[in-house]
Amino acid sequence: MKPILLQGHERSITQIKYNREGDLLFSVAKDTVTNVWYSVNGERLGTYNGHTGAVWCVDCDWDTKNVLTGSADNSCRLWDCETGKQLALLNTNSAVRTCGFDFSGNIIMFSTDKQMGYQCYLNFFDLRDPQQIDDNQPYLSVPCSDHKITSAVWGPLGEFVIAGHENGEINQFSAKSGEVLKKAKEHSRQINDIQPSVDLTIFISASKDNTAKLFDSTSLDHIKTFKTERPVNSAAISPIMDHVVMGGGQEAMEVTTTSTRIGKFEARYAKMWQFGCKFPGLILILKAQFFHAAYEEEFGRVKGHFGPINCVAFHPDGKSYSSGGEDGYVRIHYFDPQYFDFELEA
């Protein structure tokens, strides 16, 4: 099936995010605009206008009531999803790199960059307390002086935040005390993206070290590694299949001297089989190829973007996925029926 091409940004896409039902797809880019689309046909529902710098992150709460965005204009903003009205403006000393709602939608977290003499902070606000918003004072602010946070998501039950750092480290930060509960150091370079499974029990991390890794959300135990030839910018876990999808490619500054074939700009799929494991198979996307992870046999390929893929996301029903690229386009790819019937013989 031909993918749906969403053209609503003038600069490279930084993140895409589905709401829980999957009928809406949010996209942000380096052009200050936050777009929301109908995922079924790619029609643009509207925009959230207000940021004056690149928008790095976006999230939507459980009941699709509010939208949260973080930007390089040193602000994190809360929006009414339906009307596009700005509900809250939280100013910071440096760019907001990551943001997210907890499961209840009452607590938000966002992290700031380490720049302009300011260190990285992980901030927590309770939206039920208007005074915190009015005073721009989080109930908890955790300094991360060593290595800034480059990606972060909420863990199960909203008890902690899982954060990936520029040195490849993954930490669990308590949402109550701010203390580091657990640490993992499986990546050797910066973590570009972290995305959890639908039940939040596992998550996948994408890194500049040319790998994506699967972890247990609670223990941070390393489960599986997916190796590629180029930096992995984003990775997501299928909600219905034992697959993961990854997107990446060469650095943008090197694009002009490299062909798209060599640059590995396509999306890649890989199939893994772990005998006796409850995760029998997982997908990758980086070069638009399907692989059996145990035997490294290719069985599929997806192309489309001109330049690196910056972000990927599975639709909550698992029947499609979306990708955002350096070319400024968002593409919605629907899986053919053969995808659900395909079985790789071991």
Side-chain angles (χ1 to χ4, degrees):
M1 182 176 178
K2 187 177 180 180
I4 300 174
L5 188 63
L6 310 184
Q7 306 179 52
H9 294 282
E10 297 178 350
R11 298 188 65 190
S12 56
I13 308 299
T14 52
Q15 189 174 23
I16 54 177
K17 184 72 67 78
Y18 284 98
N19 66 338
R20 177 173 59 92
E21 294 85 0
D23 58 325
L24 300 181
L25 176 64
F26 299 88
S27 64
V28 292
K30 294 179 181 179
D31 60 4
T32 77
V33 177
T34 300
N35 286 319
V36 56
W37 315 80
Y38 287 116
S39 62
V40 66
N41 58 9
E43 179 185 350
R44 183 160 62 176
L45 175 62
T47 61
Y48 303 93
N49 298 310
H51 283 295
T52 58
V55 186
W56 291 117
C57 52
V58 62
D59 194 24
C60 180
D61 62 10
W62 177 262
D63 55 3
T64 318
K65 182 180 178 181
N66 296 323
V67 176
L68 188 67
T69 56
S71 171
D73 64 6
N74 298 359
S75 74
C76 185
R77 299 173 191 244
L78 184 69
W79 313 84
D80 183 284
C81 181
E82 183 177 2
T83 65
K85 179 184 177 181
Q86 181 176 298
L87 303 177
L89 169 62
L90 302 171
N91 291 306
T92 60
N93 292 321
S94 57
V96 177
R97 182 65 55 171
T98 67
C99 67
F101 290 96
D102 75 339
F103 184 80
S104 69
N106 294 322
I107 309 295
I108 62 170
M109 67 83 184
F110 62 87
S111 68
T112 58
D113 276 353
K114 184 179 181 180
Q115 61 183 191
M116 298 182 296
Y118 296 99
Q119 62 178 324
C120 169
Y121 281 94
L122 179 60
N123 298 310
F124 295 86
F125 283 84
D126 190 331
L127 298 179
R128 293 167 295 186
D129 182 4
Q131 197 65 41
Q132 293 182 25
I133 306 299
D134 295 340
D135 296 342
N136 202 28
Q137 289 295 325
Y139 75 83
L140 180 62
S141 186
V142 184
C144 305
S145 56
D146 294 332
H147 301 281
K148 78 172 185 178
I149 295 174
T150 50
S151 183
V153 295
W154 282 93
L157 304 177
E159 296 177 346
F160 54 82
V161 167
I162 303 168
H165 298 256
E166 60 182 348
N167 68 334
E169 191 173 78
I170 297 176
N171 291 327
Q172 281 182 359
F173 291 96
S174 170
K176 294 182 179 179
S177 66
E179 66 176 313
V180 177
L181 303 177
K182 287 185 174 64
K183 291 184 178 182
K185 184 67 167 66
E186 297 291 338
H187 288 289
S188 60
R189 297 187 64 189
Q190 175 177 306
I191 294 175
N192 292 323
D193 187 31
I194 291 178
Q195 293 193 40
S197 61
V198 66
D199 59 3
L200 305 182
T201 57
I202 58 175
F203 69 90
I204 190 167
S205 58
S207 172
K208 281 188 175 181
D209 65 6
N210 298 3
T211 67
K213 296 177 185 285
L214 200 67
F215 294 87
D216 182 275
S217 296
T218 304
S219 65
L220 292 190
D221 289 338
H222 176 218
I223 299 171
K224 187 67 180 177
T225 297
F226 304 94
K227 297 181 180 179
T228 65
E229 300 88 353
R230 292 294 183 271
V232 185
N233 295 332
S234 183
I237 302 172
S238 171
I240 62 169
M241 305 282 282
D242 293 320
H243 296 160
V244 297
V245 60
M246 296 160 37
Q250 247 178 333
E251 294 288 345
M253 65 182 69
E254 301 174 8
V255 170
T256 54
T257 59
T258 309
S259 73
T260 55
R261 173 70 177 179
I262 298 174
K264 300 293 187 298
F265 298 142
E266 316 95 293
R268 165 184 297 173
Y269 284 87
K271 181 86 171 175
M272 134 187 124
W273 205 265
Q274 288 182 292
F275 297 99
C277 178
K278 66 177 180 178
F279 311 116
L282 289 135
I283 289 190
L284 318 163
I285 285 191
L286 228 262
K287 185 193 169 190
Q289 296 172 321
F290 286 84
F291 283 89
H292 186 291
Y295 306 106
E296 299 181 348
E297 295 178 0
E298 179 182 337
F299 63 90
R301 179 170 295 197
V302 179
K303 297 182 180 180
H305 289 285
F306 180 79
I309 297 171
N310 292 338
C311 45
V312 294
F314 267 108
H315 190 285
D317 67 8
K319 297 179 180 179
S320 63
Y321 80 92
S322 296
S323 58
E326 192 73 19
D327 55 9
Y329 295 115
V330 177
R331 300 172 68 91
I332 301 176
H333 302 258
Y334 281 89
F335 294 115
D336 294 326
Q338 295 89 331
Y339 165 79
F340 304 99
D341 301 329
F342 179 79
E343 293 183 6
L344 190 62
E345 296 181 3

